[in-house]
Amino acid sequence: VSPREAAEYLGASPRTLREWRFLHRGPAWHVLEGRIRYSTDDLDAYLAAVRVDPATPSAPAGVVRP
C-alpha cells in the first residue's frame, strides 16, 4: 500500500511515516520502482510489536519500544 494508505491504516500521518523512515523506525517498507510501499503484513506486525497489554508490566524506564 502507499504511504498515505499505510498512515491511515496505522492512524498516523504520512509525515510521521516519512520521519520514521528517515530514523529507520516504524514498520518495514519496500522500494518498488523508486516508490515507497508497505505490505499489510508488515503493518500488522508493527502494530503487534507496539501493542501494550495492560496485564503485562510496562517496559523499564529508558526502554524505547520499536
Side-chain angles (χ1 to χ4, degrees), residues 17-32:
L17 288 184
R18 187 171 45 248
E19 290 174 7
W20 286 349
R21 286 192 308 272
F22 177 77
L23 297 171
H24 294 269
R25 298 180 74 174
W29 67 90
H30 307 271
V31 180
L32 301 171

Side-chain angles (χ1 to χ4, degrees), residues 4 8 11 15 19 25-26 30 35 38 51-52 54-55 64:
R4 180 182 51 77
E8 185 175 319
R15 180 180 177 150
E19 290 174 7
R25 298 180 74 174
H30 307 271
R35 295 185 177 173
Y38 294 88
R51 179 178 176 265
V52 176
V64 178

Side-chain angles (χ1 to χ4, degrees), residues 25-46:
R25 298 180 74 174
W29 67 90
H30 307 271
V31 180
L32 301 171
E33 297 183 6
R35 295 185 177 173
I36 303 293
R37 292 290 181 250
Y38 294 88
S39 77
T40 53
D41 288 342
D42 288 333
L43 297 176
D44 289 336
Y46 175 74

